[in-house]
Every structure is written in structure tokens, then in C-alpha cells.
Amino acid sequence: MFYVYVLRSQKNNRFYIGCTNNLQRRLREHDEGKSTYTSLTRPFKLIYQEMYDDLKSARRRELALKGGQGREWLKSRFK
């Protein structure tokens, strides 16, 4: 299983969108500052996740959420 997830920084209220095959491990890495991109904006709260059978589908959805319409959808859903 692969997961597309959305985190919200509790420091600056911004979204972080990612993809992984082990959601619990990845969340722990974000909270421990092991991800260079997110280390300065932690802690995070998991606000959304989707599950996929294959990596290709998960990556496609991750890219869609990172695009303009995806970001607008996230903003409207998670104000």
C-alpha cells in the first residue's frame, strides 16, 4: 500500500504533501526533523490521507494535490 498524505505545520499553518509506503515511519521522520524540507516548520498535524495500491497512482495524486486546483481544494476543505 502507498499513501498520499497532507500535513499542516503548526508553526506556520502551511501544507506539506507527500507520498510514502509507510505512513507511520514517514510521520515520525517529519516530527523528528529528519526531512530537510520540513525540519524548520515542525511540529505537524496529519490532516488528510489517501491509500493506493500502486506507487504510480499515489504519485499521480500527490502531483495533482501539489498543483493549483489541488492546493485550492485543500485550502477550501481545510480552512
Side-chain angles (χ1 to χ4, degrees), residues 3-53:
Y3 300 88
V4 174
Y5 61 94
V6 180
L7 305 176
R8 175 171 264 164
S9 170
Q10 294 178 341
K11 188 172 185 177
N12 65 9
N13 214 32
R14 294 185 69 182
F15 295 119
Y16 176 82
I17 303 159
C19 179
T20 186
N21 64 344
N22 185 330
L23 187 57
Q24 294 306 315
R25 174 190 49 82
R26 192 66 181 124
L27 294 176
R28 189 173 53 252
E29 289 173 355
H30 283 297
D31 283 337
E32 292 174 354
K34 292 182 179 178
S35 174
T36 305
Y37 185 78
T38 59
S39 64
L40 298 177
T41 57
R42 60 191 167 130
F44 288 95
K45 181 176 181 180
L46 177 66
I47 61 169
Y48 185 72
Q49 65 179 323
E50 296 176 354
M51 197 173 1
Y52 292 89
D53 290 327

Side-chain angles (χ1 to χ4, degrees), residues 52-70:
Y52 292 89
D53 290 327
D54 60 281
L55 180 59
K56 186 175 182 179
S57 298
R59 290 282 188 201
R60 187 178 304 128
R61 179 62 171 153
E62 176 190 13
L63 290 174
L65 287 175
K66 287 180 175 181
Q69 288 180 346

